[in-house]
Amino acid sequence: MTDALTTLAMHGGPFTDGGGPGWLFFFIPLFWIGLLVLLFTLAGRRWRKNGGPWRMQGSPEHTLGDRYARGEIDETEYRSRLEVLRAGRKG
Protein backbone atom coordinates (compact mmCIF):
# COMPACT_ATOMS: atom_id res chain seq x y z
CA MET A 1 0.00 0.00 0.00
CA THR A 2 2.82 2.38 0.84
CA ASP A 3 4.54 1.61 -2.44
CA ALA A 4 1.35 2.45 -4.38
CA LEU A 5 0.97 5.80 -2.61
CA THR A 6 4.62 6.61 -3.12
CA THR A 7 4.37 5.76 -6.82
CA LEU A 8 1.24 7.87 -7.17
CA ALA A 9 2.86 10.81 -5.38
CA MET A 10 5.98 10.53 -7.53
CA HIS A 11 4.06 10.32 -10.78
CA GLY A 12 2.15 13.58 -10.34
CA GLY A 13 -0.42 13.08 -13.09
CA PRO A 14 -0.47 12.96 -16.85
CA PHE A 15 0.50 16.59 -17.52
CA THR A 16 3.63 16.91 -15.39
CA ASP A 17 6.03 15.31 -17.86
CA GLY A 18 5.00 17.38 -20.88
CA GLY A 19 2.55 14.80 -22.17
CA GLY A 20 -0.45 17.13 -22.00
CA PRO A 21 -2.41 18.57 -24.88
CA GLY A 22 0.26 21.19 -25.51
CA TRP A 23 -0.04 24.14 -27.86
CA LEU A 24 -2.07 22.13 -30.40
CA PHE A 25 -4.96 22.34 -27.93
CA PHE A 26 -5.52 25.97 -28.98
CA PHE A 27 -6.10 25.01 -32.61
CA ILE A 28 -9.38 23.26 -31.78
CA PRO A 29 -11.32 26.43 -30.84
CA LEU A 30 -9.55 28.38 -33.59
CA PHE A 31 -10.69 25.79 -36.13
CA TRP A 32 -14.33 26.06 -35.03
CA ILE A 33 -14.24 29.86 -34.89
CA GLY A 34 -12.73 29.93 -38.39
CA LEU A 35 -15.34 27.52 -39.69
CA LEU A 36 -18.20 29.61 -38.26
CA VAL A 37 -16.73 32.81 -39.71
CA LEU A 38 -16.44 31.13 -43.11
CA LEU A 39 -20.04 29.89 -43.00
CA PHE A 40 -21.42 33.26 -41.91
CA THR A 41 -19.39 35.03 -44.60
CA LEU A 42 -20.63 32.74 -47.36
CA ALA A 43 -24.22 32.88 -46.12
CA GLY A 44 -24.06 36.68 -45.85
CA ARG A 45 -22.74 37.03 -49.39
CA ARG A 46 -25.45 34.78 -50.73
CA TRP A 47 -28.10 36.67 -48.75
CA ARG A 48 -26.90 40.05 -50.02
CA LYS A 49 -26.67 38.71 -53.58
CA ASN A 50 -30.31 37.58 -53.43
CA GLY A 51 -31.49 40.88 -51.98
CA GLY A 52 -31.80 39.85 -48.37
CA PRO A 53 -35.03 40.38 -46.46
CA TRP A 54 -35.65 43.70 -48.21
CA ARG A 55 -36.23 42.23 -51.62
CA MET A 56 -39.54 43.34 -53.06
CA GLN A 57 -40.23 40.20 -55.07
CA GLY A 58 -43.92 39.36 -55.00
CA SER A 59 -44.88 42.86 -53.95
CA PRO A 60 -47.26 44.96 -56.06
CA GLU A 61 -44.40 47.28 -57.05
CA HIS A 62 -42.30 44.35 -58.24
CA THR A 63 -45.22 42.93 -60.22
CA LEU A 64 -45.84 46.33 -61.78
CA GLY A 65 -42.16 46.61 -62.71
CA ASP A 66 -42.27 43.16 -64.33
CA ARG A 67 -45.31 44.14 -66.39
CA TYR A 68 -43.55 47.31 -67.53
CA ALA A 69 -40.39 45.36 -68.40
CA ARG A 70 -42.40 42.87 -70.49
CA GLY A 71 -44.08 45.73 -72.35
CA GLU A 72 -47.60 45.02 -71.11
CA ILE A 73 -47.99 48.62 -69.92
CA ASP A 74 -46.36 51.85 -71.12
CA GLU A 75 -44.33 54.31 -69.07
CA THR A 76 -47.15 56.72 -68.28
CA GLU A 77 -49.40 53.92 -67.02
CA TYR A 78 -46.48 52.47 -65.02
CA ARG A 79 -45.71 55.80 -63.35
CA SER A 80 -49.35 56.57 -62.57
CA ARG A 81 -49.98 53.13 -61.05
CA LEU A 82 -46.72 53.31 -59.10
CA GLU A 83 -47.75 56.68 -57.72
CA VAL A 84 -51.11 55.24 -56.62
CA LEU A 85 -49.38 52.29 -54.93
CA ARG A 86 -46.92 54.50 -53.08
CA ALA A 87 -49.66 56.95 -52.03
CA GLY A 88 -51.73 54.08 -50.65
CA ARG A 89 -48.74 52.80 -48.68
CA LYS A 90 -48.13 56.17 -47.01
CA GLY A 91 -51.73 56.73 -45.99
Side-chain angles (χ1 to χ4, degrees):
M1 175 86 163
T2 314
D3 290 332
L5 291 176
T6 305
T7 305
L8 184 61
M10 297 286 285
H11 184 267
F15 301 122
T16 55
D17 59 353
W23 59 273
L24 288 174
F25 177 74
F26 293 106
F27 279 116
I28 295 170
L30 289 177
F31 168 76
W32 287 110
I33 290 169
L35 184 66
L36 288 173
V37 166
L38 179 68
L39 288 175
F40 279 115
T41 301
L42 293 176
R45 283 185 183 179
R46 185 172 185 163
W47 195 26
R48 284 188 301 273
K49 179 183 171 190
N50 291 333
W54 306 280
R55 189 172 189 156
M56 306 260 317
Q57 186 173 4
S59 71
E61 289 183 19
H62 187 267
T63 305
L64 188 62
D66 283 345
R67 289 186 63 200
Y68 175 66
R70 287 192 301 263
E72 295 176 10
I73 56 175
D74 61 351
E75 184 179 357
T76 56
E77 186 177 358
Y78 169 74
R79 291 193 183 277
S80 66
R81 289 182 182 213
L82 187 61
E83 188 177 317
V84 168
L85 284 173
R86 290 184 176 165
R89 185 173 44 180
K90 289 180 185 175

Coordinates of all heavy atoms in Angstrom, one line a residue:
M1 N 0.8 -1.2 0.0 CA 0.0 0.0 0.0 C 0.9 1.2 0.0 O 0.6 2.2 -0.7 CB -0.9 0.0 1.2 CG -1.7 1.2 1.4 SD -3.2 1.0 0.4 CE -4.2 2.2 1.1
T2 N 1.9 1.2 0.8 CA 2.8 2.4 0.8 C 3.5 2.6 -0.5 O 3.7 3.7 -0.9 CB 3.9 2.2 1.9 OG1 3.2 1.7 3.1 CG2 4.6 3.5 2.3
D3 N 3.9 1.5 -1.1 CA 4.5 1.6 -2.4 C 3.6 2.2 -3.5 O 4.0 3.0 -4.3 CB 5.0 0.2 -2.9 CG 6.2 -0.3 -2.1 OD1 6.9 0.5 -1.6 OD2 6.3 -1.5 -2.0
A4 N 2.3 1.9 -3.4 CA 1.4 2.4 -4.4 C 1.2 3.9 -4.2 O 1.1 4.7 -5.1 CB 0.0 1.7 -4.3
L5 N 1.1 4.4 -2.9 CA 1.0 5.8 -2.6 C 2.2 6.6 -3.0 O 2.2 7.7 -3.5 CB 0.7 6.0 -1.1 CG -0.7 5.5 -0.7 CD1 -0.9 5.7 0.8 CD2 -1.8 6.3 -1.4
T6 N 3.4 6.0 -2.8 CA 4.6 6.6 -3.1 C 4.7 6.8 -4.6 O 5.1 7.8 -5.1 CB 5.8 5.8 -2.6 OG1 5.7 5.6 -1.2 CG2 7.1 6.5 -2.9
T7 N 4.3 5.7 -5.4 CA 4.4 5.8 -6.8 C 3.4 6.8 -7.4 O 3.7 7.6 -8.3 CB 4.0 4.4 -7.4 OG1 4.9 3.4 -6.8 CG2 4.1 4.4 -8.9
L8 N 2.2 6.9 -6.8 CA 1.2 7.9 -7.2 C 1.7 9.3 -6.9 O 1.6 10.2 -7.7 CB -0.1 7.6 -6.5 CG -1.3 8.5 -6.9 CD1 -1.6 8.3 -8.3 CD2 -2.5 8.2 -6.0
A9 N 2.3 9.5 -5.7 CA 2.9 10.8 -5.4 C 4.0 11.2 -6.3 O 4.2 12.4 -6.6 CB 3.3 10.8 -3.9
M10 N 4.8 10.3 -6.7 CA 6.0 10.5 -7.5 C 5.6 10.8 -9.0 O 6.2 11.6 -9.7 CB 7.0 9.3 -7.5 CG 7.6 9.1 -6.1 SD 8.8 10.3 -5.7 CE 10.1 9.8 -6.7
H11 N 4.5 10.2 -9.4 CA 4.1 10.3 -10.8 C 3.5 11.7 -11.0 O 3.9 12.4 -12.0 CB 3.0 9.2 -11.1 CG 2.6 9.3 -12.6 ND1 1.5 10.0 -13.0 CD2 3.2 8.7 -13.7 CE1 1.4 9.8 -14.3 NE2 2.4 9.1 -14.7
G12 N 2.6 12.2 -10.3 CA 2.1 13.6 -10.3 C 1.0 13.8 -11.3 O 0.6 14.9 -11.5
G13 N 0.7 12.9 -12.1 CA -0.4 13.1 -13.1 C 0.1 13.1 -14.5 O 1.3 13.0 -14.8
P14 N -0.8 13.1 -15.4 CA -0.5 13.0 -16.9 C 0.2 14.2 -17.5 O 0.8 14.1 -18.5 CB -1.8 12.7 -17.5 CG -2.8 13.3 -16.7 CD -2.3 13.2 -15.3
F15 N 0.0 15.4 -16.9 CA 0.5 16.6 -17.5 C 1.8 17.1 -16.9 O 2.3 18.2 -17.3 CB -0.6 17.7 -17.4 CG -1.9 17.3 -18.1 CD1 -3.0 17.3 -17.3 CD2 -1.9 16.9 -19.4 CE1 -4.2 16.9 -17.9 CE2 -3.1 16.5 -20.0 CZ -4.3 16.5 -19.2
T16 N 2.4 16.4 -16.0 CA 3.6 16.9 -15.4 C 4.9 16.6 -16.2 O 5.9 17.3 -16.1 CB 3.8 16.3 -14.0 OG1 3.8 14.9 -14.1 CG2 2.7 16.8 -13.1
D17 N 4.8 15.7 -17.1 CA 6.0 15.3 -17.9 C 6.0 15.9 -19.3 O 6.7 15.4 -20.2 CB 6.2 13.8 -17.9 CG 5.0 13.1 -18.5 OD1 4.0 13.7 -18.8 OD2 5.1 11.8 -18.7
G18 N 5.1 16.8 -19.5 CA 5.0 17.4 -20.9 C 4.1 16.6 -21.8 O 4.1 16.9 -23.0
G19 N 3.4 15.6 -21.3 CA 2.6 14.8 -22.2 C 1.1 15.3 -22.3 O 0.3 14.6 -22.7
G20 N 0.9 16.6 -21.9 CA -0.4 17.1 -22.0 C -0.8 17.5 -23.4 O -0.1 17.2 -24.4
P21 N -1.9 18.2 -23.6 CA -2.4 18.6 -24.9 C -1.5 19.5 -25.6 O -1.5 19.6 -26.8 CB -3.8 19.2 -24.6 CG -3.8 19.6 -23.2 CD -2.8 18.7 -22.5
G22 N -0.7 20.3 -24.9 CA 0.3 21.2 -25.5 C -0.4 22.3 -26.3 O -1.5 22.7 -26.1
W23 N 0.4 23.0 -27.1 CA 0.0 24.1 -27.9 C -1.0 23.8 -29.0 O -1.7 24.7 -29.4 CB 1.1 24.9 -28.4 CG 2.0 24.1 -29.4 CD1 3.0 23.3 -29.0 CD2 1.9 24.0 -30.8 NE1 3.6 22.7 -30.1 CE2 2.8 23.1 -31.2 CE3 1.0 24.6 -31.7 CZ2 3.0 22.8 -32.6 CZ3 1.2 24.3 -33.0 CH2 2.1 23.4 -33.5
L24 N -1.1 22.5 -29.4 CA -2.1 22.1 -30.4 C -3.5 22.2 -29.9 O -4.4 22.3 -30.7 CB -1.8 20.7 -30.9 CG -0.6 20.5 -31.8 CD1 -0.3 19.1 -32.0 CD2 -0.7 21.3 -33.0
F25 N -3.6 22.2 -28.6 CA -5.0 22.3 -27.9 C -5.7 23.6 -28.4 O -6.9 23.7 -28.5 CB -4.8 22.3 -26.4 CG -6.1 22.5 -25.7 CD1 -7.0 21.4 -25.6 CD2 -6.4 23.7 -25.0 CE1 -8.2 21.6 -24.9 CE2 -7.5 23.8 -24.3 CZ -8.5 22.8 -24.3
F26 N -4.9 24.7 -28.6 CA -5.5 26.0 -29.0 C -6.0 26.0 -30.4 O -6.8 26.9 -30.8 CB -4.5 27.1 -28.8 CG -4.2 27.3 -27.3 CD1 -3.0 26.9 -26.8 CD2 -5.2 27.9 -26.5 CE1 -2.7 27.1 -25.4 CE2 -4.9 28.0 -25.1 CZ -3.7 27.6 -24.6
F27 N -5.6 25.0 -31.2 CA -6.1 25.0 -32.6 C -7.5 24.5 -32.7 O -8.2 24.8 -33.7 CB -5.2 24.1 -33.5 CG -4.0 24.9 -33.9 CD1 -2.7 24.4 -33.5 CD2 -4.1 26.0 -34.7 CE1 -1.6 25.1 -34.0 CE2 -3.0 26.7 -35.2 CZ -1.7 26.2 -34.8
I28 N -8.0 23.8 -31.7 CA -9.4 23.3 -31.8 C -10.4 24.4 -31.8 O -11.2 24.5 -32.7 CB -9.6 22.2 -30.6 CG1 -8.7 21.0 -30.9 CG2 -11.1 21.8 -30.6 CD1 -8.7 20.1 -29.7
P29 N -10.4 25.3 -30.8 CA -11.3 26.4 -30.8 C -11.1 27.3 -32.0 O -12.0 27.9 -32.6 CB -11.1 27.2 -29.5 CG -10.0 26.6 -28.8 CD -9.6 25.3 -29.5
L30 N -9.8 27.5 -32.4 CA -9.6 28.4 -33.6 C -10.1 27.8 -34.9 O -10.6 28.5 -35.7 CB -8.0 28.6 -33.8 CG -7.4 29.5 -32.7 CD1 -5.9 29.6 -33.0 CD2 -8.0 30.9 -32.8
F31 N -10.1 26.5 -35.0 CA -10.7 25.8 -36.1 C -12.2 26.0 -36.2 O -12.7 26.4 -37.2 CB -10.4 24.3 -36.0 CG -11.2 23.5 -37.0 CD1 -10.9 23.5 -38.4 CD2 -12.3 22.8 -36.6 CE1 -11.7 22.7 -39.3 CE2 -13.1 22.0 -37.5 CZ -12.8 22.0 -38.8
W32 N -12.9 25.9 -35.0 CA -14.3 26.1 -35.0 C -14.7 27.5 -35.2 O -15.7 27.8 -35.9 CB -14.9 25.5 -33.7 CG -14.9 24.0 -33.7 CD1 -14.2 23.2 -33.0 CD2 -15.7 23.2 -34.6 NE1 -14.4 21.9 -33.3 CE2 -15.3 21.8 -34.3 CE3 -16.6 23.4 -35.6 CZ2 -15.9 20.7 -34.9 CZ3 -17.2 22.3 -36.2 CH2 -16.8 21.0 -35.9
I33 N -14.0 28.4 -34.7 CA -14.2 29.9 -34.9 C -14.0 30.2 -36.4 O -14.9 30.9 -37.0 CB -13.3 30.7 -34.0 CG1 -13.8 30.6 -32.5 CG2 -13.4 32.2 -34.4 CD1 -12.8 31.2 -31.5
G34 N -13.0 29.7 -37.0 CA -12.7 29.9 -38.4 C -13.8 29.3 -39.3 O -14.2 30.0 -40.2
L35 N -14.3 28.2 -38.9 CA -15.3 27.5 -39.7 C -16.6 28.3 -39.6 O -17.3 28.5 -40.6 CB -15.6 26.1 -39.2 CG -16.6 25.3 -40.0 CD1 -16.1 25.0 -41.4 CD2 -16.8 24.0 -39.2
L36 N -17.0 28.8 -38.4 CA -18.2 29.6 -38.3 C -18.1 30.9 -39.0 O -19.0 31.4 -39.7 CB -18.5 29.9 -36.8 CG -19.0 28.7 -36.0 CD1 -19.1 29.0 -34.5 CD2 -20.3 28.2 -36.5
V37 N -16.9 31.6 -39.0 CA -16.7 32.8 -39.7 C -16.9 32.6 -41.2 O -17.5 33.3 -41.9 CB -15.3 33.4 -39.4 CG1 -15.0 34.5 -40.4 CG2 -15.3 34.0 -38.0
L38 N -16.3 31.5 -41.7 CA -16.4 31.1 -43.1 C -17.9 30.9 -43.5 O -18.4 31.4 -44.5 CB -15.6 29.9 -43.4 CG -15.7 29.4 -44.9 CD1 -15.0 30.4 -45.8 CD2 -15.0 28.0 -45.0
L39 N -18.6 30.2 -42.7 CA -20.0 29.9 -43.0 C -20.9 31.2 -43.0 O -21.7 31.4 -43.9 CB -20.6 28.9 -42.0 CG -20.1 27.4 -42.2 CD1 -20.7 26.6 -41.1 CD2 -20.5 26.9 -43.5
F40 N -20.7 32.0 -42.0 CA -21.4 33.3 -41.9 C -21.1 34.2 -43.1 O -21.9 34.9 -43.6 CB -21.2 34.0 -40.6 CG -22.0 33.4 -39.5 CD1 -21.5 32.8 -38.4 CD2 -23.4 33.5 -39.5 CE1 -22.2 32.3 -37.4 CE2 -24.2 33.0 -38.5 CZ -23.6 32.4 -37.4
T41 N -19.8 34.2 -43.5 CA -19.4 35.0 -44.6 C -20.0 34.6 -45.9 O -20.6 35.4 -46.6 CB -17.9 35.0 -44.7 OG1 -17.3 35.5 -43.5 CG2 -17.4 35.9 -45.9
L42 N -20.0 33.3 -46.1 CA -20.6 32.7 -47.4 C -22.1 32.9 -47.4 O -22.7 33.3 -48.4 CB -20.3 31.3 -47.5 CG -18.8 31.0 -47.8 CD1 -18.6 29.5 -47.9 CD2 -18.3 31.6 -49.1
A43 N -22.8 32.7 -46.2 CA -24.2 32.9 -46.1 C -24.6 34.4 -46.3 O -25.6 34.7 -47.0 CB -24.7 32.4 -44.8
G44 N -23.8 35.3 -45.7 CA -24.1 36.7 -45.9 C -23.9 37.2 -47.3 O -24.7 38.0 -47.8
R45 N -22.9 36.7 -48.0 CA -22.7 37.0 -49.4 C -23.9 36.5 -50.2 O -24.4 37.3 -51.1 CB -21.5 36.4 -50.0 CG -20.2 37.1 -49.5 CD -19.0 36.6 -50.2 NE -17.8 37.2 -49.8 CZ -16.6 36.9 -50.2 NH1 -16.5 35.9 -51.1 NH2 -15.6 37.5 -49.7
R46 N -24.3 35.3 -50.0 CA -25.5 34.8 -50.7 C -26.7 35.6 -50.4 O -27.5 35.8 -51.3 CB -25.6 33.3 -50.4 CG -26.7 32.6 -51.2 CD -26.7 31.2 -51.0 NE -27.6 30.6 -51.9 CZ -27.6 29.3 -52.2 NH1 -26.7 28.5 -51.7 NH2 -28.5 28.8 -53.0
W47 N -26.9 35.9 -49.2 CA -28.1 36.7 -48.7 C -28.1 38.0 -49.4 O -29.1 38.5 -49.9 CB -28.1 36.8 -47.2 CG -29.4 37.2 -46.6 CD1 -30.6 37.1 -47.1 CD2 -29.6 37.9 -45.4 NE1 -31.6 37.6 -46.3 CE2 -30.9 38.1 -45.2 CE3 -28.7 38.3 -44.4 CZ2 -31.5 38.7 -44.1 CZ3 -29.2 38.9 -43.3 CH2 -30.6 39.1 -43.1
R48 N -27.0 38.7 -49.4 CA -26.9 40.0 -50.0 C -27.1 40.0 -51.5 O -27.7 40.8 -52.2 CB -25.6 40.7 -49.7 CG -25.5 41.3 -48.3 CD -24.3 42.1 -48.0 NE -23.1 41.4 -48.2 CZ -22.5 40.7 -47.3 NH1 -23.0 40.6 -46.1 NH2 -21.3 40.1 -47.5
K49 N -26.5 38.9 -52.1 CA -26.7 38.7 -53.6 C -28.1 38.5 -54.0 O -28.6 39.0 -55.0 CB -25.9 37.5 -54.0 CG -25.9 37.2 -55.5 CD -25.1 35.9 -55.8 CE -25.4 35.5 -57.3 NZ -24.8 34.2 -57.5
N50 N -28.9 37.8 -53.2 CA -30.3 37.6 -53.4 C -31.2 38.7 -52.9 O -32.4 38.6 -53.0 CB -30.7 36.2 -52.8 CG -30.1 35.1 -53.5 OD1 -29.7 35.2 -54.7 ND2 -29.9 34.0 -52.8
G51 N -30.7 39.7 -52.4 CA -31.5 40.9 -52.0 C -31.8 40.9 -50.5 O -32.4 41.9 -50.0
G52 N -31.5 39.9 -49.8 CA -31.8 39.8 -48.4 C -33.3 39.9 -48.1 O -34.1 39.6 -48.9
P53 N -33.6 40.3 -46.9 CA -35.0 40.4 -46.5 C -35.8 41.6 -47.1 O -37.0 41.7 -47.0 CB -35.0 40.5 -44.9 CG -33.7 41.2 -44.7 CD -32.7 40.7 -45.8
W54 N -35.0 42.5 -47.7 CA -35.7 43.7 -48.2 C -36.1 43.6 -49.7 O -36.6 44.5 -50.2 CB -34.7 44.9 -48.1 CG -34.2 45.0 -46.7 CD1 -34.9 45.5 -45.6 CD2 -33.0 44.5 -46.1 NE1 -34.2 45.4 -44.5 CE2 -33.0 44.8 -44.8 CE3 -31.9 43.8 -46.7 CZ2 -32.0 44.4 -43.9 CZ3 -30.9 43.5 -45.8 CH2 -30.9 43.8 -44.5
R55 N -35.9 42.4 -50.2 CA -36.2 42.2 -51.6 C -37.7 42.4 -51.8 O -38.5 41.9 -51.0 CB -35.8 40.9 -52.1 CG -35.9 40.7 -53.6 CD -35.3 39.4 -54.1 NE -35.3 39.5 -55.5 CZ -34.5 38.8 -56.2 NH1 -33.6 38.1 -55.7 NH2 -34.5 38.9 -57.5
M56 N -38.1 43.0 -52.9 CA -39.5 43.3 -53.1 C -40.2 42.3 -54.0 O -41.3 42.6 -54.6 CB -39.7 44.7 -53.6 CG -39.0 45.8 -52.8 SD -40.0 46.8 -51.8 CE -41.4 47.2 -52.7
Q57 N -39.6 41.2 -54.2 CA -40.2 40.2 -55.1 C -41.6 39.8 -54.5 O -41.7 39.4 -53.4 CB -39.3 39.0 -55.2 CG -39.8 38.0 -56.2 CD -38.8 36.9 -56.4 OE1 -37.8 36.8 -55.8 NE2 -39.0 36.0 -57.3
G58 N -42.6 39.7 -55.4 CA -43.9 39.4 -55.0 C -44.8 40.5 -54.5 O -46.0 40.4 -54.3
S59 N -44.1 41.7 -54.4 CA -44.9 42.9 -54.0 C -45.6 43.5 -55.2 O -45.2 43.2 -56.3 CB -43.9 43.9 -53.3 OG -43.1 44.5 -54.3
P60 N -46.6 44.3 -54.9 CA -47.3 45.0 -56.1 C -46.3 45.8 -56.9 O -46.4 45.8 -58.1 CB -48.3 45.8 -55.4 CG -48.5 45.2 -54.1 CD -47.2 44.6 -53.7
E61 N -45.3 46.5 -56.3 CA -44.4 47.3 -57.0 C -43.5 46.4 -57.9 O -43.2 46.8 -59.1 CB -43.5 48.1 -56.1 CG -44.3 49.2 -55.4 CD -43.4 50.1 -54.6 OE1 -42.2 50.0 -54.7 OE2 -43.9 50.8 -53.7
H62 N -43.1 45.3 -57.4 CA -42.3 44.3 -58.2 C -43.1 43.8 -59.4 O -42.6 43.7 -60.5 CB -41.8 43.2 -57.4 CG -40.8 42.3 -58.0 ND1 -41.2 41.2 -58.7 CD2 -39.5 42.4 -58.2 CE1 -40.1 40.6 -59.2 NE2 -39.1 41.3 -58.9
T63 N -44.3 43.4 -59.2 CA -45.2 42.9 -60.2 C -45.4 44.0 -61.3 O -45.4 43.7 -62.5 CB -46.6 42.5 -59.6 OG1 -46.3 41.5 -58.6 CG2 -47.4 41.9 -60.7
L64 N -45.7 45.2 -60.8 CA -45.8 46.3 -61.8 C -44.6 46.5 -62.6 O -44.7 46.8 -63.8 CB -46.2 47.6 -61.0 CG -46.6 48.8 -61.8 CD1 -47.9 48.5 -62.6 CD2 -46.8 50.0 -60.9
G65 N -43.4 46.5 -62.0 CA -42.2 46.6 -62.7 C -42.0 45.5 -63.7 O -41.5 45.7 -64.8
D66 N -42.4 44.3 -63.4 CA -42.3 43.2 -64.3 C -43.2 43.4 -65.5 O -42.8 43.1 -66.7 CB -42.6 41.8 -63.6 CG -41.5 41.3 -62.8 OD1 -40.4 41.8 -62.9 OD2 -41.8 40.4 -62.0
R67 N -44.4 43.9 -65.3 CA -45.3 44.1 -66.4 C -44.8 45.2 -67.3 O -44.9 45.1 -68.5 CB -46.7 44.5 -65.8 CG -47.4 43.4 -65.2 CD -48.8 43.8 -64.8 NE -49.6 44.1 -66.0 CZ -50.7 44.8 -66.0 NH1 -51.2 45.3 -64.8 NH2 -51.4 45.1 -67.1
Y68 N -44.1 46.2 -66.7 CA -43.6 47.3 -67.5 C -42.4 46.8 -68.3 O -42.2 47.1 -69.5 CB -43.1 48.5 -66.6 CG -42.4 49.6 -67.4 CD1 -43.1 50.3 -68.3 CD2 -41.1 49.9 -67.1 CE1 -42.4 51.4 -69.0 CE2 -40.4 50.9 -67.7 CZ -41.1 51.6 -68.7 OH -40.4 52.6 -69.4
A69 N -41.6 45.9 -67.7 CA -40.4 45.4 -68.4 C -40.8 44.5 -69.6 O -40.1 44.4 -70.6 CB -39.5 44.6 -67.4
R70 N -41.9 43.8 -69.4 CA -42.4 42.9 -70.5 C -43.1 43.6 -71.6 O -43.5 43.1 -72.6 CB -43.3 41.8 -69.9 CG -42.6 40.7 -69.1 CD -43.5 39.5 -68.8 NE -44.7 39.9 -68.0 CZ -44.8 39.8 -66.7 NH1 -43.8 39.3 -66.0 NH2 -45.9 40.2 -66.1
G71 N -43.4 44.9 -71.4 CA -44.1 45.7 -72.4 C -45.6 45.6 -72.3 O -46.3 46.1 -73.2
E72 N -46.1 45.1 -71.2 CA -47.6 45.0 -71.1 C -48.2 46.4 -70.8 O -49.4 46.6 -71.2 CB -48.0 44.0 -70.0 CG -47.6 42.6 -70.3 CD -47.9 41.7 -69.1 OE1 -48.6 42.1 -68.1 OE2 -47.4 40.5 -69.1
I73 N -47.5 47.3 -70.2 CA -48.0 48.6 -69.9 C -46.9 49.6 -70.4 O -45.7 49.3 -70.4 CB -48.3 48.8 -68.4 CG1 -47.1 48.5 -67.5 CG2 -49.5 48.0 -68.0 CD1 -47.4 48.8 -66.1
D74 N -47.3 50.8 -70.7 CA -46.4 51.9 -71.1 C -45.9 52.7 -69.9 O -46.3 52.4 -68.8 CB -47.0 52.8 -72.2 CG -48.2 53.5 -71.7 OD1 -48.7 53.2 -70.6 OD2 -48.6 54.4 -72.4
E75 N -45.0 53.6 -70.2 CA -44.3 54.3 -69.1 C -45.3 55.2 -68.3 O -45.3 55.2 -67.1 CB -43.2 55.2 -69.6 CG -42.4 55.9 -68.5 CD -41.3 56.7 -69.0 OE1 -41.0 56.7 -70.2 OE2 -40.6 57.4 -68.2
T76 N -46.2 55.8 -69.0 CA -47.2 56.7 -68.3 C -48.1 55.9 -67.4 O -48.4 56.3 -66.2 CB -48.0 57.5 -69.3 OG1 -48.6 56.7 -70.2 CG2 -47.1 58.5 -70.1
E77 N -48.5 54.8 -67.9 CA -49.4 53.9 -67.0 C -48.6 53.4 -65.8 O -49.1 53.3 -64.7 CB -50.0 52.8 -67.8 CG -51.0 52.0 -67.1 CD -51.7 50.9 -67.9 OE1 -51.4 50.8 -69.1 OE2 -52.5 50.1 -67.3
Y78 N -47.3 53.0 -66.1 CA -46.5 52.5 -65.0 C -46.3 53.5 -63.9 O -46.5 53.2 -62.8 CB -45.1 52.1 -65.6 CG -44.1 51.8 -64.5 CD1 -44.1 50.6 -63.8 CD2 -43.1 52.6 -64.3 CE1 -43.2 50.3 -62.8 CE2 -42.1 52.4 -63.3 CZ -42.2 51.2 -62.6 OH -41.3 51.0 -61.6
R79 N -46.0 54.7 -64.3 CA -45.7 55.8 -63.3 C -47.0 56.2 -62.6 O -46.9 56.4 -61.4 CB -45.1 57.0 -64.0 CG -43.7 56.7 -64.5 CD -43.0 58.0 -64.9 NE -41.7 57.8 -65.4 CZ -40.6 57.6 -64.7 NH1 -40.7 57.6 -63.4 NH2 -39.4 57.3 -65.3
S80 N -48.1 56.2 -63.3 CA -49.4 56.6 -62.6 C -49.8 55.5 -61.6 O -50.2 55.8 -60.5 CB -50.5 56.8 -63.6 OG -50.8 55.7 -64.3
R81 N -49.6 54.2 -62.0 CA -50.0 53.1 -61.0 C -49.0 53.1 -59.9 O -49.4 52.8 -58.7 CB -50.0 51.8 -61.8 CG -51.2 51.7 -62.7 CD -51.2 50.3 -63.4 NE -52.3 50.2 -64.3 CZ -53.0 49.1 -64.5 NH1 -52.6 48.0 -63.9 NH2 -54.0 49.1 -65.4
L82 N -47.7 53.3 -60.2 CA -46.7 53.3 -59.1 C -47.0 54.4 -58.1 O -46.9 54.2 -56.9 CB -45.3 53.5 -59.7 CG -44.1 53.3 -58.8 CD1 -44.1 51.9 -58.2 CD2 -42.8 53.6 -59.5
E83 N -47.4 55.6 -58.6 CA -47.8 56.7 -57.7 C -49.0 56.3 -56.8 O -49.0 56.6 -55.6 CB -48.1 57.9 -58.6 CG -48.3 59.2 -57.8 CD -48.5 60.4 -58.7 OE1 -47.8 60.5 -59.7 OE2 -49.4 61.2 -58.3
V84 N -49.9 55.7 -57.4 CA -51.1 55.2 -56.6 C -50.7 54.2 -55.5 O -51.1 54.3 -54.4 CB -52.2 54.7 -57.6 CG1 -53.3 54.0 -56.8 CG2 -52.8 55.7 -58.4
L85 N -49.8 53.3 -55.9 CA -49.4 52.3 -54.9 C -48.6 53.0 -53.8 O -48.9 52.6 -52.6 CB -48.5 51.2 -55.6 CG -49.2 50.2 -56.5 CD1 -48.2 49.3 -57.2 CD2 -50.1 49.3 -55.6
R86 N -47.7 53.8 -54.1 CA -46.9 54.5 -53.1 C -47.8 55.4 -52.2 O -47.5 55.6 -51.0 CB -45.8 55.2 -53.7 CG -44.7 54.2 -54.2 CD -43.5 54.9 -54.8 NE -42.5 53.9 -55.2 CZ -41.5 54.1 -56.0 NH1 -41.3 55.4 -56.4 NH2 -40.7 53.2 -56.3
A87 N -48.8 56.1 -52.8 CA -49.7 57.0 -52.0 C -50.5 56.1 -51.1 O -50.8 56.5 -49.9 CB -50.5 57.8 -53.0
G88 N -50.9 54.9 -51.5 CA -51.7 54.1 -50.6 C -50.9 53.5 -49.5 O -51.4 53.2 -48.4
R89 N -49.6 53.3 -49.7 CA -48.7 52.8 -48.7 C -48.5 53.8 -47.6 O -48.4 53.5 -46.4 CB -47.4 52.3 -49.3 CG -46.5 51.7 -48.3 CD -45.3 51.1 -49.0 NE -44.7 52.0 -50.0 CZ -43.7 51.8 -50.7 NH1 -43.0 50.6 -50.5 NH2 -43.2 52.7 -51.5
K90 N -48.4 55.1 -48.0 CA -48.1 56.2 -47.0 C -49.3 56.5 -46.1 O -49.2 56.8 -45.0 CB -47.7 57.5 -47.7 CG -46.4 57.4 -48.4 CD -46.0 58.7 -49.0 CE -44.7 58.5 -49.8 NZ -44.4 59.7 -50.6
G91 N -50.5 56.3 -46.7 CA -51.7 56.7 -46.0 C -52.3 55.6 -45.3 O -52.6 55.1 -44.4

